[in-house]
Amino acid sequence: MTRTSVLWDYAPAPEATDHVRLADRFGLFIDGEFRAPVDGRHVASVNPATEEPLAEVAWAGIEDVSRAVDAARAAQPRWAALPGRDRAKYVFRIARLIQERARELAVVETLDGGKPIRESRDLDVPLAAAHFFHYAGWADKLHQGVAAREVAPLGVVGQIVPWNFPLLMAAWKLAPALACGNTAILKPAETTPLTALLLAEICQEAELPPGVVAVLPGDGATGAALVRSPGIDKLAFTGSTAVGREIQSALAGRSVALTLELGGKSANIVFEDASLDQAVEGIVNGIFFNQGHVCCAGSRLLIQESVLDEVIAKLWRRMQRLRVGDPLDKNTDVGAINSAEQLERIEALVGAGEREGAVRHTIACELPGRGFWFAPTMFTDVAPAHRIAVEEIFGPVVSVLSFRTTAEAIDKANNSRYGLAAGIWTDKGAKAFEVAKALQAGVVWQNTYNHFDPTAAFGGYKESGFGREGGAAGLRPYLRIVR
Amino acid sequence: MTRIPVRKTYKLWIGGAFVRSESGRYDPAQLRRTGAEEPQLVNVPRASRKDVRDAVAAARKAAAPWATRTAYNRGQILYRAAEALESRRDQLAAGAGAAQVDAAVDVLVHYAGWTDKFQAVLGGINPVAAPFLSFSVPEPTGVVGVIAPDEPELLGVVAELAPALAAGDTVVAVLSEAGPLAGLDLAEVLGIADIPAGVVNLLSGRRRELALALGAHRDLNAIVDAAGDAELSAKLDELGAETIKRVRHADPVTGYEDAVALSLERIEALTELKTAWHPVGA
């Protein structure tokens, strides 16, 4: 007798939002206080799942940027002169306050960005706290972290973060900068400023000295003003390769240190000897995690030909079970696309994929009437030159390609201008190490994907950028080697 | 009867071959020889943009095999280069001065000793909070362009070549424009030091022309700009942005101490840290 598979339907399980105290209006966080912007401009931050405004947020103009830079400049010598153990205590406080306000931060992250509450609750917020906790401990051990070289902070650092992991990327940027004795001006992304502003509140609660951290929401113009500000000593950017290129070019001829964490088109390689069911779970996590809004998403799936049909069938079956919808629902796997603009970009590239002859498979599911949504999609019959195999889509869309030999897998994986991450699925240890070594990618995951840790360096090869975040290597971009 | 000496034809070093510039162009230079009172006028090839492209192609071809040699082997080859340079000490000293040649030899020895050590210093096991063996290890960035300063003409290029080779990168270097002969002689030294073809490529000519061609090349991963020319530096930054090149500006080195003071940093700047996660248990 064969067992009939049972499909459950899930009752809605929305996370409550009544414990969240979100102000109606946020100012710019400059010199330890929330202030009105010079030009008085406020823009609503919108919930991408409902298109409803969440709060009015001040956007910083050039004068605001320059005020924040001046305050950071004034605060920097005293911050750097604090004994490391005291700087550490402030950063430890921030870590603890994030833990204390974890539930609130998770809900706001999900409301503002559209990501499933399961992810913001279990990954974004705990990892953000862990990053502050990790780097706090470095503050009094800096020279041991850089091979016993004599070091000094860089000074005032500008930090521009993306909308896909708003709080987590703010933590990746601020934690090492502060531990190293720099003062920082953080510019959150235009669509997701709210958790960065809550983090500014946390800096106040932690009694961080005024000027050590500024938070300046705004769009590309605010970012450009920060990049062009003559008062910064270093700029750290996470975002697209196109904007990274503009920033690198804008800093030409200036002695401003730069680190870039940019785009990717990461290969996820499935060998025939992999545990295929486990691999399918990893493929799903690799590309549908956070709606595919992940710079290291496993968006190029390379499957060995002998198991190609089997893996595609299993993956397609698994994709049908993905629950797309209300990001606040604890059962949701795929939430809302972050913005109308991003949805348009995804649709344009998916359209190009269809026109170029790849075969599109999009799961049938009911999408909410309002908000920005894109159903999980797989492309088969993809040629290596297709745009969907070359360009970053930054959405829940995976392109399937195949290979015969290990050497071909390595060649195909490396045949990209990007080099951020890669996945390897095999149960053969020697093969995994061989392939991991040969891949031009800053992070290589074997039999897992999208795993992050504050102790493990993260960053790209080639046009995926330069500089590392995480671990001792993450101190280096915020320190000058004296000798 | 005095012997008629055999004169040397100076050539570029590209892909392991000594070649004239494909352009056929040349510039005059002054050669100082031991025991000779008057410098001798010689012709030096003036490399073209096409020579730059050929050199980058050769360096790219050599990159993967060089990167996968053992660290021990790369160290031996760098040490061999020091031996070979020492053996030509007197000849090179006539032009560059003995102190500079000695410093260049010692710099090669210094970096020969780094090849199998910087990985342990810059990388290590990451104590991640999950059942994985996670480690980070620096790997070569790839193909590196070096813009050497006018002075010191030998040490200036050796001080930038050596960290790149120690890191496992391959190099295309634009030699001193004012004093290219020492760099062209260096090609003969490196050519007998077991350095595989294409791992180092040395070009003489007009610095700006060659540096800009190198900076604009899409298959170059990094540039070390030690020319000390602010205008050129800014231009290289701008060109580098096009393909997110790692651009490092360094002042021309002044001597041995200066060349090795930040040696780990020089190596680090030409590496990429890779983090690998391998499962432990299921």
Side-chain angles (χ1 to χ4, degrees), chain A residues 344-356:
Chain A
E344 242 171 70
R345 239 177 265 152
I346 296 168
E347 283 169 345
L349 270 165
V350 165
E354 289 177 302
R355 280 194 301 282
E356 285 183 323

Side-chain angles (χ1 to χ4, degrees), chain A residues 147 149 245 248 252-253 433 436-437 439 441-446 448 453 455 457 460-463 465 468 473 476, chain B residues 121 126-130 132 135 139 234 237-238 241-246 264-265 268 272-279:
Chain A
R149 288 175 283 182
R245 185 179 292 131
Q248 191 177 355
F433 279 92
K437 184 160 173 55
L439 292 175
V443 183
V444 181
W445 287 291
Q446 183 203 348
T448 186
D453 193 280
T455 66
Y461 281 42
K462 302 193 278 189
E463 293 185 36
R468 292 293 179 268
R476 188 62 194 83
Chain B
V121 178
N126 308 314
V128 295
F132 289 90
F135 57 87
E139 293 193 340
D237 281 343
E238 219 176 295
E242 193 52 42
T243 53
I244 319 290
K245 285 186 182 70
R246 290 82 174 119
L264 181 60
E265 199 188 7
E268 194 175 13
E272 308 291 321
L273 199 65
K274 176 186 282 176
T275 297
W277 295 65
H278 296 279

Side-chain angles (χ1 to χ4, degrees), chain A residues 146-147 149 241 244-246 248-249 251-254 260 262 278 417 424 429 432-433 435-448 451-453 455-468 471 473 476 480-483, chain B residues 60 67-68 121-122 125-141 218 221 230 233-249 261-266 268 271-279 282:
Chain A
V146 291
R149 288 175 283 182
T241 292
R245 185 179 292 131
E246 280 176 38
Q248 191 177 355
S249 177
L251 292 176
R254 290 177 55 190
L260 299 171
L262 308 176
Q278 192 195 5
R417 64 196 180 103
I424 304 170
F433 279 92
V435 177
K437 184 160 173 55
L439 292 175
Q440 292 165 340
V443 183
V444 181
W445 287 291
Q446 183 203 348
N447 295 0
T448 186
H451 221 114
F452 309 96
D453 193 280
T455 66
F458 184 92
Y461 281 42
K462 302 193 278 189
E463 293 185 36
S464 290
F466 44 76
R468 292 293 179 268
R476 188 62 194 83
R480 186 165 56 82
I481 304 289
V482 178
R483 62 194 172 93
Chain B
R60 173 60 65 196
T68 48
V121 178
L122 298 177
I125 303 276
N126 308 314
V128 295
F132 289 90
L133 167 64
S134 173
F135 57 87
S136 295
V137 60
E139 293 193 340
T141 292
R218 299 191 70 88
N221 301 101
S233 294
K235 196 71 199 154
L236 288 172
D237 281 343
E238 219 176 295
L239 289 170
E242 193 52 42
T243 53
I244 319 290
K245 285 186 182 70
R246 290 82 174 119
V247 185
R248 177 182 154 87
H249 304 290
L262 296 173
S263 64
L264 181 60
E265 199 188 7
R266 286 173 193 273
E268 194 175 13
T271 62
E272 308 291 321
L273 199 65
K274 176 186 282 176
T275 297
W277 295 65
H278 296 279

Side-chain angles (χ1 to χ4, degrees), chain A residues 191-405:
Chain A
T191 59
T192 55
L194 297 182
T195 47
L197 291 162
L198 295 185
L199 187 58
E201 286 181 7
I202 285 173
C203 290
Q204 279 183 324
E205 274 183 72
E207 290 171 20
L208 198 67
V212 171
V213 168
V215 178
L216 302 183
D219 59 3
T222 309
L226 186 55
V227 169
R228 294 196 160 77
S229 162
I232 57 165
D233 301 298
K234 190 233 157 60
L235 195 102
F237 171 75
T238 296
S240 72
T241 292
V243 176
R245 185 179 292 131
E246 280 176 38
I247 291 174
Q248 191 177 355
S249 177
L251 292 176
R254 290 177 55 190
S255 51
V256 174
L258 175 67
T259 42
L260 299 171
E261 204 268 85
L262 308 176
K265 191 74 189 177
S266 297
N268 201 0
I269 308 168
V270 182
F271 288 98
E272 60 188 4
D273 49 32
S275 157
L276 296 185
D277 289 318
Q278 192 195 5
V280 165
E281 287 308 310
I283 295 165
V284 166
N285 176 44
I287 187 63
F288 300 121
F289 171 62
N290 200 29
Q291 298 74 248
H293 300 330
V294 184
C295 49
C296 53
S299 53
R300 271 192 306 153
L301 182 58
L302 298 175
I303 305 175
Q304 198 150 20
E305 275 185 13
S306 49
V307 292
L308 178 63
D309 294 341
E310 190 183 350
V311 173
I312 288 177
K314 281 174 185 280
L315 174 59
W316 181 238
R317 244 190 342 262
R318 177 66 181 82
M319 282 172 64
Q320 318 277 332
R321 304 287 180 273
L322 290 171
R323 300 177 57 84
V324 186
D326 182 6
L328 278 173
D329 192 311
K330 284 171 254 186
N331 293 320
T332 292
D333 297 307
V334 177
I337 298 302
N338 186 266
S339 65
E341 194 190 355
Q342 185 56 26
L343 180 57
E344 242 171 70
R345 239 177 265 152
I346 296 168
E347 283 169 345
L349 270 165
V350 165
E354 289 177 302
R355 280 194 301 282
E356 285 183 323
V359 180
R360 174 179 174 176
H361 313 261
T362 296
I363 69 166
C365 60
E366 239 175 90
L367 298 176
R370 298 199 68 187
F372 317 121
W373 308 92
F374 197 88
T377 294
M378 165 174 71
F379 272 106
T380 54
D381 297 287
V382 179
H386 284 167
R387 284 182 66 193
I388 51 166
V390 176
E391 295 178 35
E392 184 173 41
I393 299 174
F394 223 64
V397 182
V398 65
S399 301
V400 182
L401 296 102
S402 66
F403 66 92
R404 288 188 181 171
T405 63

